[in-house]
Amino acid sequence: MDRQDYMAWLSQIDELSAEQRVEAGRALAGQPSLEAVVGLLEERIGAERRCPHCTAEGAVIRGQSNGLRRYFCRGCGKTFNCLTGTPLARLRYKERWTAFGASMSEGETVAAAAQRCGVAGSTAFRWRHRFLRAVSSGVVKLRGIVEADETFVLASRKGERHLDRKPRKRGGKASKRGLSDERVPVLVAADRSGSTVSAVLPSVCAAAIEAVLRPVLGKDALLVTDGCTSYPPCAAALGVSHEVLNQTAGERMRGDLHIQTVNSRHERLKDFLRRHRGIATKYLDSYLRWYHLAILPRAPSPRAVLAAAAGMLNVRPACIANAN
């Protein structure tokens, strides 16, 4: 953290509540791994102690189980802990989750994560997808000049036992050149502040692109795209201004208009996916969450990764510096 960011962070200390000051003190003191993880997870309950079964408030503490406080709900008579109802429920070895958070922050493979944490490869794989399933995105609004473009990822049925074709090794390549049903489209949209949205598309059509952009695109946005014919009807349906760059004719820029930001995002996404030697298409949504969690922000702290996996921190690409 540079001095300017540090001073901005320091200036907000006076706004912390008493509970937040205690938690900040624990983090700065450098708690042992298990204590830090448990302390972070227990924050999920909050002062209202809301039951995940019936949503009633005012649950009471009733002992501990597996290192976590157990709560009893007077409304429905059920017990729960801070992980009940989340994808992290019933996962073991909590003392190793900090190391696993560091592994995810660095984008390591399953084998590297398993070696770092001292667990089996199957455990590291299960942890990865449980953590990513728990990550939620904050509400992002793209404003001003918004670039949008799609990239394509090779479709994969990795892990399936019965294929109707010869299996590919380490990702492999498509059987034919160009666009085909062997490639999965991924839409990436970004504004000049660095806010970024990505989504797997069922197809590159106006309706599919509109479904992704409608919740996130501000009415004052200027949509900038390449010459794909799906964007003009999409922009008309969204009621936003639209500019087309004819890249086929060599038009890379027009004044302040370009799509280099999303092309840079595409390249970083492809680099991230490439190191994993081919991922199953059914997991592509999870890897996009991982991309927003750890790759765009450039290696967040293990604590931030754990907080996002615990549902306490939304992945907010709006906080990412715009870096091409």
Side-chain angles (χ1 to χ4, degrees):
M1 180 184 292
D2 60 30
R3 181 162 181 80
Q4 184 176 358
D5 291 340
Y6 167 71
M7 293 304 296
W9 173 80
L10 196 63
S11 67
Q12 300 179 27
I13 286 183
D14 291 339
E15 302 176 10
L16 297 179
S17 66
E19 293 79 6
Q20 290 171 336
R21 288 172 183 268
V22 171
E23 180 57 30
R26 290 173 181 167
L28 292 173
Q31 285 180 308
S33 178
L34 178 58
E35 292 181 21
V37 171
V38 171
L40 178 66
L41 296 176
E42 293 290 0
E43 289 182 45
R44 294 189 70 254
I45 296 298
E48 65 275 8
R49 297 180 182 176
R50 188 185 303 276
C51 174
H53 303 293
C54 67
T55 71
E57 297 181 1
V60 296
I61 299 175
R62 182 167 287 184
Q64 287 194 350
S65 177
N66 296 319
L68 299 175
R69 287 179 185 169
R70 201 76 186 164
Y71 297 88
F72 174 75
C73 176
R74 293 169 175 168
C76 64
K78 295 182 179 179
T79 60
F80 62 93
N81 63 24
C82 58
L83 296 181
T84 299
T86 74
L88 302 186
R90 293 185 171 85
L91 291 184
R92 308 305 180 192
Y93 304 118
K94 297 179 184 64
E95 69 277 4
R96 306 182 191 183
W97 286 5
T98 301
F100 189 72
S103 175
M104 291 194 67
S105 175
E106 297 171 18
E108 290 183 343
T109 62
V110 168
Q115 183 176 11
R116 178 193 287 247
C117 301
V119 297
S122 58
T123 300
F125 181 82
R126 183 168 61 254
W127 282 4
R128 170 186 294 179
H129 290 287
R130 290 279 198 96
F131 274 50
L132 292 175
R133 196 191 317 161
V135 171
S136 61
S137 298
V139 178
V140 178
K141 275 293 184 182
L142 304 179
R143 307 179 188 280
I145 298 176
V146 178
E147 307 169 30
D149 194 15
E150 70 282 349
T151 188
F152 293 85
V153 178
L154 185 64
S156 173
R157 294 163 63 186
K158 185 177 181 179
E160 291 189 23
R161 296 184 180 277
H162 304 288
L163 296 176
D164 53 7
R165 57 168 173 77
K166 186 178 179 180
R168 296 193 294 258
K169 301 297 183 182
R170 295 186 177 274
K173 58 183 180 180
S175 60
K176 50 189 175 183
R177 299 181 62 183
L179 302 182
S180 67
D181 57 3
E182 294 184 71
R183 299 185 182 275
V184 179
V186 177
L187 176 69
V188 178
D191 64 19
R192 297 300 166 82
S193 72
S195 298
T196 307
V197 171
S198 64
V200 179
L201 297 176
S203 63
V204 184
C205 64
I209 296 173
E210 179 190 348
V212 174
L213 294 182
R214 181 172 291 280
V216 300
L217 205 62
K219 289 297 183 181
D220 60 341
L222 170 61
L223 187 63
V224 183
T225 69
D226 60 10
C228 176
T229 57
S230 297
Y231 288 105
C234 172
L238 292 172
V240 298
S241 302
H242 180 218
E243 292 288 341
V244 177
L245 296 176
N246 189 352
Q247 295 194 314
T248 304
E251 187 182 25
R252 303 295 180 185
M253 296 184 65
R254 188 191 311 140
D256 292 333
L257 306 182
H258 60 77
I259 57 172
Q260 294 175 3
T261 303
V262 292
N263 288 337
S264 172
R265 301 284 194 261
H266 289 167
E267 186 59 32
R268 290 174 67 182
L269 175 62
K270 294 280 186 73
D271 286 344
F272 168 61
L273 297 178
R274 195 176 295 120
R275 77 182 69 161
H276 295 286
R277 307 285 183 137
I279 65 167
T281 299
K282 63 183 178 181
Y283 293 131
L284 186 53
D285 276 324
S286 291
Y287 278 79
L288 287 181
R289 292 193 193 100
W290 192 359
Y291 172 68
H292 282 276
L293 171 66
I295 306 304
L296 283 181
R298 298 186 183 277
S301 69
R303 182 180 179 84
V305 173
L306 289 175
M312 298 164 56
L313 177 69
N314 287 330
V315 178
R316 293 299 303 274
C319 299
I320 299 167
N322 190 359
N324 292 331

